[in-house]
Amino acid sequence: VVLALLKDYQITDVDIDFCESFYTREVGPQLHKPVDDLDPLVDVISPLTPALGLPISTRARPDAQGTMALYLAEGGGKDRLLGLSCRHILIGSEEANIDYVCHRSRPPRDVLLLGRRAFTNFVDSIKREKDNDAADVAKAEASRIKTEGLLDEAEKAMEELGGLLDQVKEWKKINNRVIGHILRSPPIGLGIRTKMKPDEFTVKCFPAETPTGSSNIP
C-alpha cells in the first residue's frame, strides 16, 4: 500500500525499510519509582513502588493480606520478573496442601496489589495527607498575610526613616544645629560666696533665630 501511494504521487527519492514491530504488554497497575525525601508524595507513595514489602492479596481472598518478599529474574533467556511470597497469603488453608502449578488450560489465580483493607487504608492515608497539606496551606496563607502586614509596616518605616534622614542631613552644617545661646554662667570655685539662692542657679536658653526670623526648633 505504501509503495502504491508513493508511485501514485510520483515520489521516488524515499528509502523504505520494513522491520518487525515490538510492543510491551502492560498488565495491572503501573508501579511508581521510589521518590526522594523532598518529593510531595514521599509519605504515601511507598505501597505503590516495587520496593521490598509490596502489599499484596488475591482475587479469591482479598481480605487475606501480605507482602512480596523477594523479586527474582526468571532467567533462561526470558525477561519475566517473578515475585516470592508466603503460601498462606496466596492459597487458603482450607485447600489441599499440595503443589500448585499454573497451567494455561485453567484460569489463573490473580494476585492483587493491595488487599481490601490495605486499599482502603491507602486511600485514607492519601486523604489525610491532602487534608494536612490543606491545613498547612491555610497556615501558610495566614502567615503570608501577617508577613505582608509586617512588610507594609517595614516599608512605611523605611519611608519615614528616609524622610528623617533627609532632614538630619541638613543639620551637618553647624549653624543648622544651633538651638539657643548662653545667658549666664557663674564661675566655678571653692569658697565663693554668692547672694544667689540655690534655686536661682539656672541657665535659660532661647531659640536662635534664623536670618528670616524663624526658629530652628519646631
Side-chain angles (χ1 to χ4, degrees):
V1 176
V2 175
L3 293 177
L5 288 173
L6 294 176
K7 184 177 180 180
D8 291 342
Y9 288 92
Q10 298 180 354
I11 301 175
T12 58
D13 57 344
V14 176
D15 294 329
I16 300 176
D17 291 331
F18 292 93
C19 60
E20 181 182 1
S21 61
F22 296 91
Y23 73 96
T24 301
R25 181 184 179 189
E26 295 185 356
V27 179
Q30 189 72 27
L31 297 180
H32 293 255
K33 294 181 179 180
V35 299
D36 57 40
D37 293 340
L38 299 180
D39 193 283
L41 301 180
V42 65
D43 293 327
V44 296
I45 199 64
S46 178
L48 299 186
T49 64
L52 295 180
L54 186 72
I56 60 173
S57 184
T58 61
R59 182 189 296 274
R61 302 167 61 243
D63 291 324
Q65 303 178 138
T67 58
M68 191 81 73
L70 296 174
Y71 296 101
L72 304 171
E74 185 175 8
K78 300 179 180 179
D79 59 358
R80 289 197 306 176
L81 187 65
L82 308 179
L84 177 66
S85 188
C86 297
R87 178 186 174 95
H88 69 270
I89 297 173
L90 306 176
I91 299 176
S93 58
E94 67 277 3
E95 297 188 36
N97 188 23
I98 59 176
D99 189 19
Y100 170 80
V101 180
C102 179
H103 293 284
R104 292 186 177 182
S105 60
R106 292 180 294 182
R109 296 192 174 193
D110 293 334
V111 177
L112 308 179
L113 172 64
L114 300 170
R116 182 175 294 156
R117 186 173 68 255
F119 176 77
T120 300
N121 292 340
F122 179 64
V123 172
D124 290 342
S125 70
I126 297 177
K127 292 179 179 179
R128 284 194 303 271
E129 190 65 23
K130 184 178 179 181
D131 291 341
N132 291 338
D133 288 342
D136 291 341
V137 169
K139 291 180 181 179
E141 180 67 15
S143 298
R144 183 185 65 81
I145 295 175
K146 182 178 180 180
T147 302
E148 287 181 350
L150 295 175
L151 179 61
D152 292 340
E153 293 179 2
E155 290 178 346
K156 182 179 179 181
M158 290 174 60
E159 182 178 354
E160 294 183 1
L161 288 170
L164 179 60
L165 179 61
D166 292 338
Q167 178 185 0
V168 171
K169 285 180 178 179
E170 297 296 326
W171 296 356
K172 184 176 182 180
K173 299 177 181 179
I174 292 180
N175 289 339
N176 291 341
R177 299 203 304 271
V178 176
I179 61 175
H181 59 273
I182 301 173
L183 293 181
R184 181 179 179 183
S185 178
I188 299 175
L190 298 176
I192 297 178
R193 297 181 180 180
T194 177
K195 296 181 180 180
M196 297 181 66
K197 298 179 180 179
D199 58 355
E200 293 179 343
F201 279 87
T202 57
V203 177
K204 298 181 180 180
C205 298
F206 298 92
E209 294 184 352
T210 62
T212 59
S214 61
S215 172
N216 285 342
I217 299 180

